[in-house]
Structures are given as C-alpha cells and as structure tokens.
Amino acid sequence: MSTKNSLVRGWLVATNAAMMLGWARVLLALAIRIEALLEDRMLCNDYLGTKTRLALILSFLELLNALAGFTRSKPPQVLLFALVRAGVEVLVTPQLHSQCSSWTHIATVAFWSMGDTIRFGCFMSDTVFTNSTWPKAVRYTVGPLLFPLGAVGEMVMVLELASRQTNTTQKITIYAAAALWPLGFYPLFTQLLRQKQKFFRSLAEKKKTS
C-alpha cells in the first residue's frame, strides 16, 4: 500500500471515528437524562443542544471527504443531507413551543444519533477491516430503518413550526417547505436501497460460487 493510500485510510478512520463519537455523545446524553431533558428546556439546550450542534458540525467532515474524492459519496447529496439537519436544528428548534425539549425534537435527535453513530461506526470499521462484510451488512440493515424515521421527525418539526404561525403568509410558506421534504428524501433513500440490494445480491452470489 502506498504512503498516499495509507494517509487517506488513516484520515478516513480518524474522521469517521470523530463523527461517530460526536453522535454517540448525543445518544448517551439522551439515554442518561431523557426525562429531565423533556421537562427542562434550558437544561436541554445546554446539555443536549450543545452536543447535537457539535455533532452536526463534525458531520460536515463527510462532505469534505466526498469533495476530496476519498469516498464515493456524491457531494451534492451529502451537502443536502447535512444542511437540512443543521437548518432544522438551528432555525426550527428554537421556534418550537418547548424548543429543545419538544418531544418532536427529542425524537428526531434520537433517530439522528442512533443512525449516525451506527453509520459512521460502520464506515470506520469498513476502512479498518477491509476484508470484512459485516460493517456494510449492519449499515444496510439499520440504515433503511432509522433514516426514514429521522426524515419524518424533521418534517414533523417543520409542520409543528408552521402550525404555530399566526401570519398566513408565513404559515403557507413553512407548510410548503415541509412539503418539499419527500422530494429531498426520495433520491437519498432510493440510493440507499439500491446500495443495499447490490451489496446483499453480491453476498448471495459469492455464497453460490463458494
């Protein structure tokens, strides 16, 4: 293996580990103090909100890796994925009735953190254990379950924000924005399903020939 390839592998392991740990901290915060977070918006913002925003910032490392050509991910799709989540957290959450403590926000962050702790952990493991199939098997089993739940949570948060508006123009605009969610979700989810189908089909073919 060339020095360049070794450096790229090391970078991918480090960045995926950082993103995994960022979301794992969010997941742990939810597991430890979820009841208090639902009751105390200030605690939620300081304790959970800070960790969530850091995890979202770290997630932009995935875009950097895609732009550098270190992964096969498409930069526009990675950018859309990251910006939507960051926008929901930064722009929508503070305007909800219970803000960070809103059950829609807590649920959405739970789906984000579970999904990305596993996803980035699988990316990291796939880079380390290059001959193993289990990282992709886990990712393609869990991903299609958690990704839609996170997307639905985001849309519900936007719908909740729309319902709180008193200005008719603002209400219609936000409802229209929520209606765009399926358009962004569809290409990302169908790509994930195609990758899943291709991976498990290749596993089945290898078993037949072995």
Side-chain angles (χ1 to χ4, degrees):
M1 182 182 293
S2 68
T3 302
K4 180 180 178 181
N5 288 340
S6 296
L7 289 173
V8 170
R9 278 191 66 191
W11 171 258
L12 288 174
V13 170
T15 52
N16 281 308
M19 290 184 283
M20 177 194 71
L21 291 173
W23 284 110
R25 289 179 71 238
V26 177
L27 187 58
L28 183 61
L30 284 166
I32 293 175
R33 308 189 70 174
I34 188 166
E35 290 186 8
L37 295 174
L38 284 165
E39 295 174 358
D40 189 334
R41 72 175 63 177
M42 292 300 295
L43 172 66
C44 184
N45 187 62
D46 293 339
Y47 185 69
L48 179 65
T50 302
K51 291 177 174 61
T52 302
R53 288 188 289 273
L54 175 59
L56 288 167
I57 291 170
L58 288 172
S59 294
F60 278 90
L61 288 170
E62 184 178 16
L63 175 62
L64 179 62
N65 289 338
L67 288 170
F70 296 158
T71 66
R72 287 181 286 182
S73 299
K74 298 176 181 178
Q77 291 185 339
V78 177
L79 179 61
L80 173 65
F81 187 67
L83 284 179
V84 166
R85 286 186 168 186
V88 167
E89 181 63 24
V90 174
L91 301 176
V92 176
T93 301
Q95 298 186 64
L96 299 179
H97 175 66
S98 300
Q99 299 176 358
C100 179
S101 292
S102 168
W103 71 267
T104 54
H105 175 253
I106 295 290
T108 301
V109 170
F111 295 136
W112 287 352
S113 58
M114 283 188 285
D116 274 6
T117 297
I118 294 170
R119 186 165 70 94
F120 290 123
C122 288
F123 286 160
M124 180 188 69
S125 300
D126 196 33
T127 306
V128 174
F129 307 107
T130 54
N131 295 321
S132 297
T133 58
W134 68 262
K136 284 188 174 68
V138 172
R139 178 193 167 204
Y140 291 136
T141 300
V142 177
L145 298 175
L146 291 176
F147 177 43
L149 292 174
V152 169
E154 296 160 15
M155 188 170 69
V156 171
M157 287 176 65
V158 176
L159 290 172
E160 181 184 343
L161 175 61
S163 69
R164 289 178 48 78
Q165 303 304 307
T166 55
N167 182 285
T168 302
T169 301
Q170 290 180 347
K171 184 184 288 286
I172 293 173
T173 300
I174 297 173
Y175 273 127
L180 294 176
W181 242 255
L183 298 178
F185 169 78
Y186 180 78
L188 295 175
F189 189 60
T190 52
Q191 181 185 11
L192 178 59
L193 292 180
R194 285 195 298 269
Q195 291 172 337
K196 175 184 177 179
Q197 185 180 37
K198 181 179 178 181
F199 171 73
F200 283 108
R201 185 170 59 240
S202 68
L203 282 186
E205 290 173 354
K206 286 180 181 178
K207 288 181 179 179
K208 288 181 181 179
T209 57
S210 61

